[in-house]
Amino acid sequence: SQVFFFLMIRRPPRSTQSRSSAASDVYKRQVHGDNKLNRKGGKHTKKVYSTKKMTLKEIAVHILLMGVLLATAIADEGADEAVLRSGRFRRLRNAPFFSHKQPNFTLPLQGVRKNLQDVFLSRIDQYLPKFRLGSLPCAACKGFVGVIQRMANRSKLVDEVLNDLCELFVNQTVCENIDIDYLRLATEMLVNYRLDPEFVCSENGHCPKVWEEVNITALIEDILSDKPSNPPPKPKVSDSDRMIKVLQVSDLHMDIKYQEDSVANCDNFLCCRADSQTRKNETKRALFWGTSTMCDLPLRTAKEFARFVKEEIQPDIFLWTGDNVPHDIWEQSKEKQTESTKIFAQILEETIDKNVTRIYPTIGNHECFPADEYDYISPEPNWLNQELATIWKEWLGDDVTYQQVVKEGFYTLYDERFNLRIISLNTQHCDVMNFYRFVDPTDPRGQLKWLRQVLYNSEAKNETVIIMGHIPPGDYFCSSTWSRIYNAIVERFNHLIVGQFFGHTHNDHLEIMRTYQKNEPFSFLFIAPSLTTYSYLAPSFRVYLLDQDKANQLIDYDQYRLDLVYWNNFTKGPISWDRVYSFRKEYNLHALSAQDIQYLLQSLHKNHSMMLTFWNNYNSGVPQKFKEFAGKSLLCQLEHSIFDGYVECLSWEEVKDPYSIGFHWLDQLAGLWRIKKTTTRSLAVPKTSA
């Protein structure tokens, strides 16, 4: 909904809340509660919240919306009381609907595991003190909740309230131009499913249970039950000394409206366009090949990237890990969401030698319309799947894979040259900003079950495996439950997997993975920096090196970066990306094992100079101010591939940015994994390989 629009744009990374970057500028401009700035007429004035009395209708709607959101978020068993105690809702108390002169509206901090009735209706009691739901029979409960549901569906009231909430976080112009589909979708998913009478009343004991909760612990233990204690060695692929070159490019965010000499530090979330408006005392202008501010990548720079890759890199494998759309999400449409993908796919087809390089793409969250909103509930094929399958058709190999992408958006292909299977995940299934998760967050489209089946088959055929995707497990965009199951699958089949490569964050970093039982490092995943400059970054890509003589073992990677300070002195190509570091040499690593990565993390704790080196690379070589909390937050981020682990590492008391808080809230809002009792659906996978 519009309330969470601010969360969808490029958010400041967890470790960089106070750094001087455009990402933190967005943070500062949007979410500083009662210090929010209002830019009407270009003047900066403090916004003063009204304290006028609300009408009864306004009170009812505000209680309804906030009650449903807050109560649902903490209704499930297992909700953590410390989450509320940490202040995750403190910022909301500064908002208008908590500051009106009405009876004290405080959030319950005791008994967080109480059900929705206790939490939600106790708030209504403050206005209707004599009303009690008590132990209503099933039919009466459904009738009562149905009335609330119909009230919430009065779109005019909901629109007004959500628009008010939106303006707490972003400027009025953006709120007015956000496509109404966001609001409609959020309202439909939340009200019609999370406030569904059958769901609410059965979950609160007034009606027979309709859904059965999935025992996540039992599922993980089942996944790991046949984990080999002494896995067979990976097969030798070749005696060749030549390394397999695997290039990864992520987060192009190509902007065909980029305009040289336009305003680079503007009043909006995306600058360097003809209509970008100057902020007070700002004179920075857009440069020819790109600008390290709140600007996306010019088309000409994307073309130069493809040329450089063909002439200088000549990779064997090209991993394209999503997010090709510019950050102007208030102007989005279905047609526009795939425009950049079509253009860049055509550039690759015309430039890259298909006899040398095989291209494997994946879906990013910005390709969706609205951004992040990916419909996996409808029985009809998703429109985005159909569009992308058509754009990618030349690279999908056969009709079976093409139809798989049309149907699911995830796929697998086998590269017989290197006995290497590529698995491209659809991480929209774990995206907590995807409101379709409110309907059913339980292994959407059975992707994790499918992943297990594919890996069983690879095990039987003695294949090596690369897993690629857009949103990394462990990022706060990705559901912690989904990440737990993914982690368990990777732990079970770790002896096959030679690399896990993700993007999305725009930063250069990694996450270590830990065993379920002993919490010991067993693997890691790499997160590549973006090709876009958004925000305050340098255009980057990387090349991983796999050793054929050692069963495709990941040996190292080389990081490439475009020096915009130098190349923006020229208005003609060709331009060149610099090889700025080798991972192992940069961090003095003997090899690339989980133990080596753990050694790196320990070194970052102890060696401040190495931490500053990592910090510089994290920000693509663009100088950013380093603070102690940024380092602590970054280390917690590196040490966990499940977001809840990051929270435990840092503690809620130290989770200061509203993005982590808000995204955790959204994950809670989607609820536990459940399976309807009347279905034959199962998450089990036969312990055999086809």
Side-chain angles (χ1 to χ4, degrees):
S1 75
Q2 293 186 21
V3 182
F4 300 110
F5 163 77
F6 78 103
L7 294 169
M8 273 190 316
I9 64 173
R10 171 77 176 104
R11 75 277 187 267
R14 292 196 289 267
S15 57
T16 61
Q17 299 149 21
S18 58
R19 77 183 195 186
S20 178
S21 72
S24 61
D25 285 346
V26 171
Y27 162 67
K28 293 169 187 173
R29 291 204 296 266
Q30 293 172 49
V31 291
H32 280 306
D34 54 357
N35 290 323
K36 179 176 182 253
L37 297 179
N38 191 344
R39 291 179 175 74
K40 291 184 179 180
K43 296 181 180 180
H44 293 246
T45 57
K46 283 194 176 181
K47 184 170 182 177
V48 180
Y49 292 133
S50 169
T51 56
K52 68 178 182 179
K53 292 202 173 199
M54 301 173 70
T55 65
L56 288 177
K57 180 184 282 188
E58 289 173 330
I59 291 172
V61 174
H62 280 105
I63 294 177
L64 170 68
L65 289 172
M66 295 311 300
V68 170
L69 291 172
L70 298 176
T72 307
I74 60 178
D76 292 319
E77 276 197 38
D80 190 355
E81 182 172 347
V83 170
L84 289 180
R85 289 191 176 280
S86 69
R88 96 184 190 201
F89 296 124
R90 286 174 194 157
R91 193 174 303 280
L92 290 177
R93 292 201 187 106
N94 294 325
F97 40 85
F98 285 125
S99 60
H100 286 283
K101 294 180 180 178
Q102 298 294 343
N104 183 32
F105 193 116
T106 56
L107 292 168
L109 298 182
Q110 299 290 341
V112 173
R113 289 178 175 82
K114 289 185 177 181
N115 59 30
L116 188 147
Q117 170 194 322
D118 295 329
V119 178
F120 178 31
L121 293 181
S122 65
R123 300 303 95 199
I124 293 180
D125 267 356
Q126 296 185 11
Y127 295 93
L128 303 173
K130 295 183 180 180
F131 180 81
R132 287 280 181 183
L133 181 60
S135 55
L136 281 178
C138 180
C141 176
K142 287 183 177 180
F144 175 76
V145 177
V147 170
I148 297 177
Q149 187 181 48
R150 287 190 292 276
M151 288 174 59
N153 271 321
R154 292 179 181 175
S155 60
K156 183 177 179 180
L157 290 174
V158 174
D159 287 7
E160 292 173 355
V161 173
L162 291 181
N163 190 69
D164 287 344
L165 294 176
C166 176
E167 291 187 23
L168 292 175
F169 302 106
V170 294
N171 66 50
Q172 183 180 16
T173 302
V174 172
C175 287
E176 290 173 351
N177 286 283
I178 296 175
D179 196 293
I180 198 68
D181 284 349
Y182 266 123
L183 187 144
R184 294 281 176 262
L185 180 62
T187 301
E188 178 187 352
M189 296 299 109
L190 184 62
V191 173
N192 291 342
Y193 292 94
R194 296 300 286 170
L195 198 56
D196 172 65
E198 183 180 50
F199 173 78
V200 172
C201 295
S202 67
E203 289 302 298
N204 288 280
H206 296 286
C207 297
K209 286 198 72 92
V210 178
W211 285 268
E212 186 172 353
E213 294 174 6
V214 175
N215 187 326
I216 299 300
T217 299
L219 177 58
I220 290 174
E221 290 174 351
D222 177 68
I223 292 169
L224 296 172
S225 62
D226 61 345
K227 174 185 173 182
S229 55
N230 294 300
K234 293 184 177 73
K236 187 173 182 178
V237 177
S238 169
D239 291 323
S240 171
D241 292 332
R242 191 180 75 85
M243 296 290 176
I244 304 170
K245 290 192 284 189
V246 180
L247 181 145
Q248 182 187 4
V249 64
S250 194
D251 298 88
L252 280 75
H253 292 287
M254 189 171 64
D255 188 4
I256 61 175
K257 292 184 179 180
Y258 183 99
Q259 183 169 309
E260 184 188 9
D261 202 40
S262 59
V263 176
N265 275 344
C266 67
D267 226 8
N268 215 330
F269 305 122
L270 180 63
C271 307
C272 296
R273 288 181 159 193
D275 58 355
S276 297
Q277 299 297 311
T278 305
R279 283 185 6 223
K280 186 177 181 181
N281 299 325
E282 290 286 356
T283 59
K284 190 173 179 68
R285 314 300 293 186
L287 303 174
F288 189 78
W289 295 109
T291 311
S292 295
T293 57
M294 300 291 285
C295 302
D296 276 323
L297 193 74
L299 173 60
R300 54 180 163 265
T301 311
K303 290 180 177 179
E304 277 296 294
F305 161 75
R307 179 204 56 77
F308 180 82
V309 167
K310 177 188 177 182
E311 295 178 3
E312 303 296 333
I313 307 297
Q314 298 180 358
D316 301 290
I317 292 170
F318 187 115
L319 305 181
W320 178 11
T321 48
D323 263 17
N324 313 308
V325 188
H327 285 88
D328 57 348
I329 65 175
W330 59 93
E331 295 181 359
Q332 62 194 344
S333 66
K334 280 188 177 181
E335 295 73 22
K336 189 173 180 296
Q337 296 311 90
T338 56
E339 181 180 29
S340 294
T341 305
K342 289 176 182 176
I343 293 171
F344 191 66
Q346 185 175 357
I347 292 171
L348 294 180
E349 288 173 5
E350 294 172 353
T351 307
I352 302 299
D353 187 348
K354 63 182 179 182
N355 295 316
V356 175
T357 304
R358 295 188 185 179
I359 298 174
Y360 301 92
T362 199
I363 293 176
N365 61 303
H366 276 269
E367 273 77 84
C368 304
F369 173 74
D372 291 277
E373 305 314 314
Y374 178 88
D375 182 4
Y376 58 82
I377 300 300
S378 172
E380 299 299 320
N382 183 290
W383 71 273
L384 180 59
N385 291 356
Q386 295 175 309
E387 284 286 317
L388 293 179
T390 301
I391 296 169
W392 300 343
K393 191 168 185 178
E394 180 179 340
W395 305 318
L396 295 179
D398 54 43
D399 189 62
V400 173
T401 308
Y402 171 82
Q403 293 300 332
Q404 169 72 12
V405 174
V406 169
K407 183 179 178 183
E408 307 293 3
F410 52 83
Y411 67 91
T412 181
L413 285 169
Y414 178 69
D415 191 328
E416 73 288 345
R417 298 174 299 171
F418 310 117
N419 186 34
L420 185 60
R421 179 163 297 281
I422 311 295
I423 299 176
S424 177
L425 297 178
N426 181 352
T427 55
Q428 286 314 105
H429 294 161
C430 86
D431 185 351
V432 299
M433 273 298 302
N434 184 5
F435 298 138
Y436 288 95
R437 293 183 66 255
F438 293 161
V439 182
D440 183 9
T442 308
D443 191 13
R445 304 299 296 180
Q447 180 177 207
L448 294 177
K449 180 178 180 179
W450 168 85
L451 177 61
R452 291 176 69 189
Q453 293 169 327
V454 170
L455 290 171
Y456 270 122
N457 291 341
S458 289
E459 187 174 54
K461 298 173 183 177
N462 216 13
E463 297 171 345
T464 57
V465 174
I466 282 177
I467 299 177
M468 62 181 289
H470 181 66
I471 301 174
D475 188 81
Y476 51 64
F477 262 83
C478 190
S479 163
S480 288
T481 300
W482 195 94
S483 298
R484 282 190 182 92
I485 305 304
Y486 174 81
N487 264 42
I489 294 171
V490 172
E491 182 181 348
R492 163 60 182 85
F493 295 99
N494 188 47
H495 61 289
L496 307 177
I497 299 168
V498 297
Q500 302 172 75
F501 308 126
F502 295 84
H504 179 67
T505 69
H506 295 205
N507 296 106
D508 180 342
H509 57 123
L510 55 87
E511 293 172 359
I512 198 160
M513 306 180 83
R514 301 182 181 277
T515 57
Y516 173 70
Q517 290 289 351
K518 297 183 179 181
N519 199 37
E520 296 174 343
F522 74 88
S523 187
F524 51 90
L525 54 90
F526 280 121
I527 302 165
S530 61
L531 196 63
T532 185
T533 56
Y534 194 100
S535 49
Y536 281 83
L537 299 170
S540 304
F541 71 91
R542 67 173 47 154
V543 178
Y544 301 98
L545 302 174
L546 276 58
D547 191 341
Q548 297 181 73
D549 193 40
K550 296 181 179 178
N552 293 340
Q553 180 182 341
L554 179 59
I555 299 299
D556 203 354
Y557 76 71
D558 293 325
Q559 187 62 50
Y560 289 81
R561 201 179 289 155
L562 183 64
D563 185 349
L564 287 173
V565 174
Y566 175 78
W567 287 108
N568 275 324
N569 292 311
F570 308 94
T571 56
K572 290 184 179 180
I575 61 176
S576 296
W577 272 251
D578 298 323
R579 178 180 170 273
V580 290
Y581 73 82
S582 151
F583 183 74
R584 282 172 54 186
K585 185 176 181 180
E586 185 83 337
Y587 300 113
N588 302 317
L589 299 179
H590 174 70
L592 281 189
S593 66
Q595 289 69 36
D596 288 294
I597 300 300
Q598 181 66 24
Y599 169 79
L600 168 60
L601 298 186
Q602 292 169 352
S603 298
L604 293 177
H605 275 283
K606 300 174 183 177
N607 188 329
H608 186 65
S609 176
M610 184 173 287
M611 169 58 88
L612 292 180
T613 298
F614 195 95
W615 176 255
N616 181 66
N617 289 328
Y618 180 86
N619 294 298
S620 299
V622 178
Q624 308 288 357
K625 189 174 182 180
F626 180 83
K627 292 188 177 181
E628 182 180 355
F629 177 78
K632 183 175 182 180
S633 179
L634 177 56
L635 286 170
C636 285
Q637 184 178 349
L638 303 178
E639 289 175 352
H640 298 277
S641 58
I642 301 169
F643 179 61
D644 283 352
Y646 162 81
V647 171
E648 292 171 6
C649 173
L650 197 59
S651 83
W652 269 115
E653 285 68 23
E654 295 184 90
V655 178
K656 300 177 182 179
D657 70 290
Y659 296 88
S660 293
I661 296 167
F663 278 57
H664 182 82
W665 182 18
L666 281 172
D667 194 13
Q668 295 290 311
L669 199 58
L672 302 175
W673 281 24
R674 296 177 174 88
I675 295 178
K676 206 164 188 176
K677 289 186 173 183
T678 55
T679 68
T680 58
R681 181 179 178 186
S682 171
L683 302 179
V685 173
K687 301 292 177 67
T688 58
S689 305

